[in-house]
């Protein structure tokens, strides 16, 4: 069976990235929110927003494809968590795979890319936030040396989730 591939995203991938972003978030967390809160959150994933970020040199995005169909992505970008990160930090903004590809070995490949890319850009630390009850993801990040540094309220529409901010020194 063929295996999905990772490659750098381009502006031409914006619509695919927007679609897989909506699909993966809904698949992973959609049952936790009202339809209105989920719809409000998903409105942030437009092709135009993705094209702007992919074109911005402050971001680095890899798309995961099976053939020419997006099945996941990983995005690094300037920190936007609600605290002042130390000089030289970057944020792992999003890391998603559709469920059929979870546990397939792609996660470690994606994480290794993110760590190598952050180092290549000269960053000394990488931050992320993860849903408090997403124990699988928290274990995965801990396996790569990420440590909890504090709580964070992540908004999905009008609903506040409690997330955990994690950090790894590079």
């Amino acid at each position: 069976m063929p295996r999905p591939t990772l490659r750098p995203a381009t502006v031409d991938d914006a619509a695919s990235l927007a679609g897989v972003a909506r699909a993966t978030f809904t698949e992973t967390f959609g049952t936790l929110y009202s339809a209105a809160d989920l719809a409000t959150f998903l409105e942030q994933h437009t092709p135009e927003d993705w094209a702007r970020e992919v074109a911005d040199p402050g971001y680095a995005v890899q798309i995961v494809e099976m053939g020419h169909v997006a099945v996941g992505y990983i995005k690094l970008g300037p920190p936007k968590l609600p605290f002042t990160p130390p000089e030289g930090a970057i944020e792992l903004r999003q890391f998603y795979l559709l469920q059929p590809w979870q546990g397939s070995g792609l996660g470690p490949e994606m994480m290794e890319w993110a760590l190598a890319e952050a180092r290549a850009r000269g960053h000394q630390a990488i931050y992320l936030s993860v849903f408090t009850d997403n124990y699988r993801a928290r274990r995965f990040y801990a396996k790569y040396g990420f440590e909890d540094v504090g709580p964070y309220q992540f908004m999905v529409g009008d609903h506040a989730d409690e997330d955990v901010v994690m950090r790894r020194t590079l």
Side-chain angles (χ1 to χ4, degrees), residues 9 14 50 57 61 68 77 91 103 134 145 169:
W50 274 99
V61 181
H68 296 291
E91 184 179 337
N134 191 344
T169 302

Side-chain angles (χ1 to χ4, degrees), residues 33-41 43 157-158:
Y33 309 109
S34 71
D37 285 336
L38 182 61
T40 298
F41 179 80
E43 286 172 6
D158 291 327

Side-chain angles (χ1 to χ4, degrees), residues 73-92:
Y73 66 97
I74 186 166
K75 177 172 53 173
L76 293 170
K80 78 171 200 178
L81 293 166
F83 63 89
T84 304
E87 186 77 21
I90 194 166
E91 184 179 337
L92 176 52

